[in-house]
């Protein structure tokens, strides 16, 4: 055996949602091979998890990783103003080194806060993939697609997307998706070609849908239908589509989402910060729709802490619905674990601690003040824990962080590199005044 984690408090998130006291986990060749109270045999590494909570790594099902570079640059404005006047003009100057720096910083932040898998949609996908391979994290990477500049733009990006699928489909910790940006930035032709290529390669699609009220009103005006109605009408939706945000879905559209098996990724902090609205998550749940959870990019959040995202999620729906019982703690934890895996088509590999699944496991220190007294681990994980409580992170059977010390990244080097690349990007974008030089 490669690793034995001994005597932990296990929050498994398996089908029975079992919580197991004083249990151990055996890991070999990147997989969990045994869960029991008394594992026989030797291992290269033994981790004493006494006084630790052991759980599946968190899954961030929607982010734009390298937007850590934009953290704090465009706050307190609505989405389209934020995009058109602040974000897109700077993004036009992005190069591979910029994206590499922002991606490394984002991966550092995610590992240190317990995220072991993320679903990304961003430019310079090859640079993001290199960062994933080097650091040991798991990722679903979507090639961004749009054709607002004309059909040639869409054709070029589709070609890049199909090349990325072929390049990364056999990688151990990378799953390629296609990422049409949104119905308002993609023509019907591009959306249908995207679906055809995705079906040809049996991969998923990652798209923003119904993020704002204005988007819905413009869709009704331009296409004669709300966004999900339009996507169903053209034959785009299916069970392999993950729709991020989905804030303004009507009752009819919830029925469409249910019927088509489309998955939802909820991004409460970003939606709150941009004033976009509150997604009808209780209605999704009532209709059996798979809901996952994401932070969105660090420019609209402004961090990648999935523990914070869980708390925000649960509290938002309680106050919005004047009902303390909606979106309870266990449901919210499911969003960030097994439902995230289900949304990404990875539920047979990750999202829970079970024999035969990948060893994507995190450990939290039960002596942290936010975990004392240990009355209800599910409650604590959603309402009390912070990402900084994560002690150890294992992905694919490899230790990425132990006792808060990074094993696959030089934290100081990553931070210095990001500062250099942010300076380069903002100076070339005429936004040097955004940085304080520290």
């Amino acid at each position: 055996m490669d690793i034995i984690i001994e005597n932990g408090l296990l929050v498994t998130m398996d089908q029975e949602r079992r919580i197991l006291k004083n249990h151990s986990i055996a890991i070999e060749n990147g997989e969990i091979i045994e869960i029991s109270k008394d594992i026989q045999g030797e291992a290269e590494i033994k981790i004493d998890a006494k006084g630790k909570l052991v759980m599946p790594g968190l899954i961030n099902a929607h982010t734009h990783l390298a937007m850590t570079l934009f953290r704090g640059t465009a706050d307190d404005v609505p989405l389209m103003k934020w995009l058109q006047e602040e974000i897109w003009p700077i993004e036009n100057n992005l190069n591979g080194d910029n994206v590499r720096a922002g991606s490394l910083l984002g991966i550092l932040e995610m590992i240190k806060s317990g995220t072991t898998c993320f679903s990304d949609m961003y430019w310079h996908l090859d640079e993001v993939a290199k960062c994933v391979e080097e650091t040991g994290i798991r990722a679903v990477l979507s090639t961004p697609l749009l054709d607002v500049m004309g059909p040639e733009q869409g054709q070029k990006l589709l070609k890049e997307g199909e090349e990325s699928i072929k390049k990364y489909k056999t990688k151990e910790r990378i799953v390629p998706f296609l990422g049409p940006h949104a119905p308002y930035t993609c023509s019907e032709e591009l959306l249908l070609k995207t679906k055809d290529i995705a079906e040809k390669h049996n991969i998923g699609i990652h798209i923003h849908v119904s993020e704002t009220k204005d988007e819905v009103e413009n869709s009704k005006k331009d296409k004669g239908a709300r966004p999900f109605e339009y996507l169903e009408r053209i034959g785009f939706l299916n069970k392999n589509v993950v729709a991020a945000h989905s804030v303004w879905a009507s009752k009819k559209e919830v029925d469409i989402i249910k019927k088509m098996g489309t998955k939802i990724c909820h991004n409460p902090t970003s939606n709150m910060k941009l004033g976009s609205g509150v997604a009808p998550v209780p209605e999704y749940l009532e209709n059996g729709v798979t809901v996952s959870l994401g932070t969105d990019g660090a420019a609209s959040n402004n961090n990648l802490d999935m523990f914070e995202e869980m708390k925000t999620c649960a509290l938002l729906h309680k106050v919005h619905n004047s009902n303390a019982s909606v979106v309870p703690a266990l449901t919210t934890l499911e969003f960030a674990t097994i439902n995230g895996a289900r949304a990404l088509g990875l539920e047979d590999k990750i999202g829970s601690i079970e024999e035969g699944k990948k060893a994507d496991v995190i450990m939290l220190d039960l002596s942290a003040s936010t975990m004392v007294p240990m009355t209800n681990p599910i409650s604590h994980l959603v309402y009390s824990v912070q990402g900084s409580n994560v002690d150890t992170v294992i992905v694919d059977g490899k230790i990425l962080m132990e006792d808060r010390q990074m094993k696959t990244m030089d934290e100081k080097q990553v931070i210095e590199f990001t500062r250099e690349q942010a300076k380069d990007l903002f100076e070339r974008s005429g936004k040097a005044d955004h940085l304080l030089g520290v």
Side-chain angles (χ1 to χ4, degrees):
M1 287 176 283
D2 300 323
I3 300 173
I4 295 177
I5 302 171
E6 298 180 311
N7 305 316
L9 173 65
L10 273 56
V11 175
T12 65
M13 300 308 293
D14 63 8
Q15 286 191 344
E16 292 79 35
R17 307 296 188 250
R18 291 181 300 162
I19 298 174
L20 306 174
K21 286 176 153 185
N22 301 318
H23 271 63
S24 301
I25 302 171
I27 297 169
E28 189 170 78
N29 296 324
E31 290 189 355
I32 297 168
I33 62 169
E34 185 180 349
I35 301 168
S36 71
K37 279 199 167 186
D38 184 25
I39 293 175
Q40 301 297 312
E42 293 300 315
E44 291 183 26
I45 299 170
K46 282 193 175 183
I47 300 174
D48 184 3
K50 187 175 182 180
K52 303 284 175 67
L53 184 149
V54 184
M55 65 177 290
L58 302 179
I59 298 168
N60 187 343
H62 175 68
T63 193
H64 309 288
L65 189 59
M67 291 187 82
T68 51
L69 291 174
F70 298 79
R71 196 190 323 259
T73 63
D75 294 327
D76 308 322
V77 292
L79 176 65
M80 294 315 297
K81 180 180 175 73
W82 180 80
L83 284 172
Q84 293 171 350
E85 297 182 19
E86 299 288 348
I87 300 302
W88 285 344
I90 303 175
E91 279 187 334
N92 286 336
N93 295 286
L94 276 171
N95 62 33
D97 284 340
N98 301 153
V99 170
R100 175 174 173 76
S103 298
L104 286 171
L105 184 67
I107 290 171
L108 175 66
E109 183 178 348
M110 286 193 292
I111 291 172
K112 295 199 77 172
S113 56
T115 291
T116 55
C117 177
F118 68 98
S119 180
D120 194 52
M121 181 198 296
Y122 212 58
W123 306 108
H124 297 281
L125 185 147
D126 284 344
E127 290 297 330
V128 185
K130 286 178 191 173
C131 295
V132 170
E133 292 184 310
E134 291 168 13
T135 60
I137 201 168
R138 192 180 304 280
V140 173
L141 302 182
S142 300
T143 301
L145 305 171
L146 66 164
D147 57 357
V148 287
M149 303 298 290
E152 297 81 8
Q153 179 190 32
Q155 290 164 10
K156 175 179 177 291
L157 292 172
L158 266 180
K159 183 179 178 183
E160 291 177 9
E162 191 154 24
E163 288 171 356
S164 291
I165 294 167
K166 294 172 182 175
K167 185 173 183 179
Y168 296 110
K169 199 171 182 186
T170 58
K171 297 290 185 180
E172 181 60 34
R173 288 177 288 99
I174 296 175
V175 176
F177 270 31
L178 291 175
H181 175 259
Y184 62 88
T185 52
C186 297
S187 66
E188 179 178 335
E189 181 184 12
L190 178 59
L191 289 170
L192 293 180
K193 283 183 178 177
T194 298
K195 184 187 178 187
D196 288 344
I197 292 173
E199 288 181 342
K200 173 183 170 184
H201 295 281
N202 191 29
I203 63 160
I205 293 173
H206 184 178
I207 184 172
H208 303 80
V209 185
S210 289
E211 186 172 356
T212 66
K213 193 173 184 179
D214 284 347
E215 178 188 337
V216 173
E217 293 305 314
N218 289 336
S219 180
K220 286 158 67 177
K221 187 190 310 177
D222 299 338
K223 300 178 173 70
R226 300 171 69 92
F228 280 108
E229 294 174 343
Y230 163 71
L231 292 174
E232 183 198 29
R233 186 179 77 199
I234 67 172
F236 177 80
L237 296 176
N238 61 32
K239 64 182 177 62
N240 294 322
V241 173
V242 182
H245 302 295
S246 307
V247 173
W248 290 94
S250 65
K251 186 178 184 306
K252 179 181 176 184
E253 288 179 298
V254 173
D255 290 339
I256 290 170
I257 293 164
K258 175 184 178 181
K259 179 179 73 174
M260 301 310 300
T262 297
K263 313 300 192 297
I264 300 298
C265 183
H266 182 35
N267 303 267
T269 301
S270 177
N271 296 154
M272 292 166 69
K273 184 169 185 255
L274 293 169
S276 300
V278 181
V281 169
E283 288 80 2
Y284 289 140
L285 296 175
E286 287 168 11
N287 284 274
V289 173
T290 295
V291 179
S292 57
L293 193 65
T295 59
D296 209 353
S300 64
N301 187 294
N302 288 15
N303 65 46
L304 305 175
D305 185 341
M306 284 290 288
F307 283 104
E308 181 178 293
E309 202 69 31
M310 283 194 285
K311 181 173 183 176
T312 299
C313 172
L315 299 186
L316 170 63
H317 294 289
K318 295 177 194 311
V319 70
H320 182 67
N321 292 278
S322 300
N323 183 348
S325 298
V326 299
V327 192
L330 179 58
T331 299
T332 308
L333 187 57
E334 289 169 345
F335 292 172
T337 54
I338 191 62
N339 278 20
R342 190 170 291 120
L344 302 177
L346 296 172
E347 67 269 31
D348 61 333
K349 293 183 177 180
I350 61 173
S352 61
I353 295 178
E354 298 183 69
E355 293 174 1
K357 284 200 171 186
K358 293 292 184 181
D360 290 12
V361 176
I362 64 175
M363 297 166 54
L364 294 89
D365 186 354
L366 291 174
S367 68
S369 60
T370 52
M371 302 285 272
V372 177
M374 178 42 68
T375 52
N376 183 338
I378 302 299
S379 170
H380 287 4
L381 289 171
V382 173
Y383 298 124
S384 300
V385 165
Q386 299 170 327
S388 57
N389 294 146
V390 176
D391 173 270
T392 297
V393 174
I394 298 171
V395 177
D396 208 41
K398 304 292 189 300
I399 299 173
L400 307 190
M401 181 174 77
E402 187 172 16
D403 297 327
R404 295 295 295 167
Q405 298 301 307
M406 296 297 299
K407 299 294 185 181
T408 61
M409 305 179 75
D410 184 324
E411 187 168 353
K412 184 177 179 181
Q413 191 176 77
V414 167
I415 289 169
E416 288 305 313
F417 180 49
T418 305
R419 284 175 173 157
E420 292 169 8
Q421 292 303 314
K423 183 173 184 289
D424 167 74
L425 175 62
F426 286 117
E427 285 180 349
R428 285 188 292 104
S429 303
K431 301 278 188 178
D433 57 332
H434 279 46
L435 295 172
L436 295 177
V438 294

